[in-house]
Amino acid sequence: MLSTFPSWLPAALGLLDVVDPEVMRPPDPIVACHERLENSGVEFRKSRIPLHPNKSGDFTCGAPQVVRYERGPGDISYGGSPQMACPLALAMAEWELILQEEAQAHLGSRVKRIKHVGTYNCRMMAAYEGWISEHSYANGIDIKSFTLADGRVVPIKDTYFEDTPEGQFLRAMSKRAYEEVFNVVVTPATPDGLHEMHLHFDMAHYTFDGS
């Protein structure tokens, strides 16, 4: 069962009051993960990030099912094959279709490339003491910009709040990303001072709408 935190809590308090160990854990295994990815139109390679303690031994990193995500149903390049836990990979496949719908509707062009700045990093959250980052489980992705098929680049920084087709695209897509796909969406609209330049999507055991 997912835990839901009010969207105003981090903004109002600057932290999350309760650190629940139950929600700070690696993603659960998904039955027939590889078959579901194939059926979703994902090209991938099997990979591994074994469950292991971090350097200080305070928490666990890694995930039970990890893949190298090469290409999804949106036919988008990620500039490599990022490692993703199975829940994130399945979510990305679903989200790519939404992304292309919104790009076509607002910008009249499809997304060709996504510049991301990481999926796996064994660490705590920078803003909230005691909270483990979903990046520790390869269960989150940070996205810096989108390149369209017509060559335009849509960066997150300085674009998200603009009253332009690009800004409208980013906001509409992020809203749908939370409402339809991801458990956590963090954007420049989240006033933690750490997401002004990128979007963060993950599949944590809790939900948070920062769109």
Side-chain angles (χ1 to χ4, degrees):
M1 179 178 294
L2 293 173
S3 297
T4 304
F5 298 106
S7 61
W8 50 264
L9 186 59
L13 302 181
L15 50 80
L16 294 172
D17 278 347
V18 180
V19 179
D20 183 352
E22 177 61 19
V23 301
M24 296 288 103
R25 70 180 196 272
D28 298 326
I30 293 179
V31 175
C33 166
H34 293 158
E35 289 83 352
R36 288 183 61 182
L37 287 171
E38 290 171 354
N39 291 338
S40 297
V42 177
E43 298 176 14
F44 65 92
R45 289 180 285 120
K46 295 179 182 179
S47 187
R48 293 182 70 238
I49 308 177
L51 294 171
H52 63 281
N54 73 323
K55 290 182 179 180
S56 64
D58 295 331
F59 58 90
T60 299
C61 291
Q65 297 165 315
V66 178
V67 298
R68 288 277 184 183
Y69 193 100
E70 296 184 331
R71 186 76 62 159
D75 194 25
I76 300 167
S77 169
Y78 289 81
S81 304
Q83 284 183 301
M84 298 183 189
C86 187
L88 179 64
L90 286 169
M92 292 296 289
E94 186 176 355
W95 169 73
E96 282 188 10
L97 301 180
I98 292 172
L99 175 70
Q100 297 293 30
E101 287 178 8
E102 294 298 331
Q104 202 65 61
H106 290 277
L107 304 173
S109 181
R110 293 173 60 83
V111 173
K112 181 179 180 181
R113 288 192 299 275
I114 289 175
K115 183 175 183 180
H116 74 92
V117 287
T119 55
Y120 174 65
N121 187 355
C122 182
R123 62 175 175 81
M124 306 293 287
M125 289 187 190
Y128 307 114
E129 184 177 356
W131 282 75
I132 303 166
S133 171
E134 288 298 308
H135 290 295
S136 292
Y137 315 128
N139 202 30
I141 187 169
D142 290 340
I143 294 173
K144 192 171 183 180
S145 67
F146 302 95
T147 299
L148 306 180
D150 62 14
R152 282 178 290 170
V153 177
V154 182
I156 309 306
K157 179 177 169 56
D158 298 329
T159 305
Y160 192 85
F161 295 111
E162 288 183 349
D163 187 18
T164 60
E166 289 79 9
Q168 293 165 5
F169 155 68
L170 291 176
R171 294 191 298 275
M173 175 273 297
S174 296
K175 182 177 176 61
R176 288 188 65 188
Y178 176 74
E179 291 179 345
E180 301 179 36
V181 183
F182 297 101
N183 292 340
V184 173
V185 168
V186 187
T187 73
T190 309
D192 60 6
L194 299 175
H195 294 86
E196 297 175 354
M197 297 191 298
H198 69 276
L199 306 175
H200 170 91
F201 301 148
D202 74 48
M203 292 299 291
H205 291 287
Y206 55 88
T207 64
F208 176 77
D209 179 8
S211 63

